[in-house]
């Protein structure tokens, strides 16, 4: 069976510090991978998605970036965090050939102070 | 720009009551999913509908896709406290992307 991991689970970082959030998927190959951000109790904002190694599509221009160094690894980064980067970050994957099923990781709660 | 509006935004009901959550758009979607999310966790897929007019049932939950594939509804019969959570609809946004709805927060009181 497939599983998706995210870490860390929670993170408190000062303004201006760097960020690295990691997501890995097990039990599947060539998944589509996604990063979302969620404000408290609201819907999900798509940040980045990737359909293959090294292929990144950005949806929202901001100070965040994403990378996919391996088939089942997706990383969200920032060089300098802003207060507005606080939120709940979710990684998700889908089987490459379908848009019907999306599976989410447990999320990372980021607080920028 | 494709948008999915959910209503109501908040809903608080007593155990045993019925409720309906709506997901509406002016755009046509080839598929639409419903998710439930608990606080501090990732959303969990409940169902996917792909055919206009399609109705799917999951125990006490009934999902319907509009004939024109622009809207969907989720009906819960005899709600239970375990149904409490954030309900999200999502549609295919084209080119491997998903568009998520604004969310409906449901609280079922015992």
């Amino acid at each position: 069976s497939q599983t998706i991991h995210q870490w860390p689970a929670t993170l408190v970082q000062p303004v201006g510090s760097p960020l690295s959030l990691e997501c890995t998927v097990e039990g599947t190959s060539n998944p589509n991978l996604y990063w979302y951000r969620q404000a408290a109790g609201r819907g999900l904002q798509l940040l980045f998605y990737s359909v293959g190694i090294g292929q990144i599509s950005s949806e929202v221009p901001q100070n965040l970036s994403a990378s996919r160094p391996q088939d089942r690894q997706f990383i969200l980064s920032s060089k300098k965090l802003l207060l507005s980067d606080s939120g709940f970050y979710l990684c998700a994957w889908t089987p490459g050939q379908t848009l019907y099923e999306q599976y989410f990781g447990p999320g990372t709660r980021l607080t920028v102070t | 720009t494709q948008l999915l509006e959910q209503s109501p935004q908040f809903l608080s009901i007593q155990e045993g009551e019925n409720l309906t959550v709506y997901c509406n758009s002016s755009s046509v979607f080839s598929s639409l999913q419903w998710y439930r999310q608990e606080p501090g966790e990732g959303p969990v897929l409940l169902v996917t509908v792909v055919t206009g007019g399609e109705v799917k049932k999951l125990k006490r939950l009934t999902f319907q896709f509009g004939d024109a594939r622009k809207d969907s509804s989720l009906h819960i019969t005899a709600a239970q406290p375990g149904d409490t959570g954030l309900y999200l609809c999502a549609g295919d946004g084209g080119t491997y992307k998903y568009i998520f709805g604004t969310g409906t927060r449901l609280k079922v009181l015992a």
Side-chain angles (χ1 to χ4, degrees):
Chain A
S1 63
Q2 301 88 1
T3 56
I4 178 170
H5 304 278
Q6 284 185 247
W7 64 90
T10 60
L11 192 60
V12 180
Q13 293 283 95
V15 169
S17 63
L19 173 73
S20 181
L21 303 182
E22 189 165 343
C23 170
T24 59
V25 181
E26 296 177 354
T28 188
S29 59
N30 197 31
N32 293 341
L33 296 172
Y34 302 80
W35 279 112
Y36 292 90
R37 179 168 59 200
Q38 185 178 31
R42 303 305 301 274
L44 278 60
Q45 178 188 32
L46 178 62
L47 301 176
F48 302 94
Y49 68 95
S50 170
V51 300
I53 296 174
Q55 300 179 58
I56 307 296
S57 295
S58 174
E59 288 297 299
V60 182
Q62 54 198 345
N63 68 320
L64 299 174
S65 62
S67 62
R68 184 171 178 175
Q70 301 180 44
D71 181 45
R72 290 169 291 175
Q73 184 184 30
F74 205 21
I75 297 172
L76 183 68
S77 304
S78 175
K79 293 182 179 179
K80 291 185 177 182
L81 283 169
L82 306 172
L83 285 174
S84 58
D85 291 324
S86 294
F88 192 49
Y89 287 82
L90 289 157
C91 180
W93 74 274
T94 65
Q97 297 304 313
T98 176
L99 281 174
Y100 297 165
E101 305 164 356
Q102 192 161 64
Y103 301 97
F104 286 84
T108 295
R109 173 74 59 193
L110 172 66
T111 302
V112 182
T113 61
Chain B
T1 302
Q2 293 174 299
L3 294 173
L4 280 168
E5 296 286 339
Q6 288 185 238
S7 61
Q9 188 175 355
F10 301 98
L11 192 55
S12 181
I13 61 172
Q14 294 292 324
E15 182 177 3
E17 293 184 0
N18 301 333
L19 68 117
T20 302
V21 176
Y22 299 93
C23 174
N24 295 300
S25 176
S26 58
S27 303
V28 175
F29 293 95
S30 60
S31 69
L32 199 141
Q33 297 92 45
W34 283 93
Y35 297 81
R36 180 169 64 212
Q37 185 180 21
E38 306 274 348
E41 300 180 6
V44 175
L45 179 68
L46 296 174
V47 77
T48 299
V49 286
V50 299
T51 304
E54 181 178 4
V55 177
K56 282 192 174 180
K57 291 190 175 183
L58 185 65
K59 296 184 181 178
R60 294 175 294 100
L61 279 62
T62 302
F63 304 86
Q64 184 164 8
F65 201 11
D67 291 340
R69 291 185 286 124
K70 293 182 178 181
D71 55 84
S72 180
S73 63
L74 158 60
H75 182 78
I76 301 179
T77 303
Q80 300 177 359
D83 295 326
T84 293
L86 179 68
Y87 288 82
L88 296 163
C89 62
D92 62 291
T95 322
Y96 305 108
K97 295 188 298 183
Y98 295 80
I99 306 298
F100 274 80
T102 48
T104 293
R105 182 163 295 283
L106 171 65
K107 186 170 186 179
V108 182
L109 305 171

